[in-house]
Amino acid sequence: MSGAGELLRAEALTKTYPIRGGVFGAPAGRLTAVDRVDLTVARGQTLGLVGESGSGKTTCGRLIARLEDPDSGRIFFEDEDWLALSGKALRRRRRDLQVIFQDPQTSLNPRMTAGDQIAEPLRVQNLARRREIRDRVAQLLSEVGLSAEAFSRFPSEFSGGQRQRIAIARALATRPKFLVCDEPVSSLDVSVAAQIVNLLLDLRASKGLSYLFISHDLAVVERISDRIAVLYLGRVVEEGPASEVASRPLHPYTAALVSAVPDPFSKGTRVVLEGEPPSAAMPPAGCAFHPRCPIARPRCRQERPVLAEIAPGRCAACFFPGELPVAPVP
């Protein structure tokens, strides 16, 4: 990771949820949303987490942000056991790790002004005195490209992109070192989404932030990330430098994601997956991707491949990595 120091490390994270069935909602099994996931984020860098809906991306983000706790696994933040913290210690440490949610329409309180919502973390964490709060909020609004007049306006008076800027300002209020960005541009128009991605890049450069950037859009993830981890049915199936994963995918699922990126000038092979991802409650035997994989072989139906280093800095969970040629991301 370019010699950068490690900021966050997650080891073997696993999260399951009960499946209720019957008239009285008795437990009928468990759904595995995240299955022994390892992730590492370096200081000042971005790890992109990409996959289809239901792949476990958002659950990973919620576990790392301690919005939920894993069934098993470990998380270290600046070499501190993140899962061992509780009470006041956790509350104090949360100022260093904040979240930007997918939809600012629901993550912002419609009854509070933009200024009050940005100021709330400052008050909760006792980071500014009353007379300092307004100046600090004005500074944050300016940093995300909004005027001080936004202070007294309500979320309904802003566009979607402006609301997301307010949400980013709120996340920055505690001067965090790490941001979990959970699909922060998926609800925005393409041009507005590009502006938000540029804003996040500028903020990372100026403040030395680190991101876990979660998205289903590989093109967006490739633009903002230093490294990419690809999730399928709760497991990491490929990881590596962003440009290499996007241009030379090793796993057939990654190749399909690359192929889905619109490129009218591409003459390369396109990969079209058939069917939907299997249920996380009843995953198939062997490789979970084999029912949809265009190069699946008998071994794939019988054995589960492990995530292994295929080349320096490149990992994939596939018995036949790199066999599926695709058109590269432009």
Side-chain angles (χ1 to χ4, degrees), residues 184-197:
V185 299
S186 64
S187 63
L188 305 175
D189 292 340
V190 173
S191 60
V192 177
Q195 294 171 16
I196 296 298
V197 168

Side-chain angles (χ1 to χ4, degrees), residues 267-286:
K267 297 181 180 179
T269 303
R270 290 291 174 180
V271 181
V272 180
L273 298 181
E274 297 183 359
E276 297 292 328
S279 169
M282 294 184 295

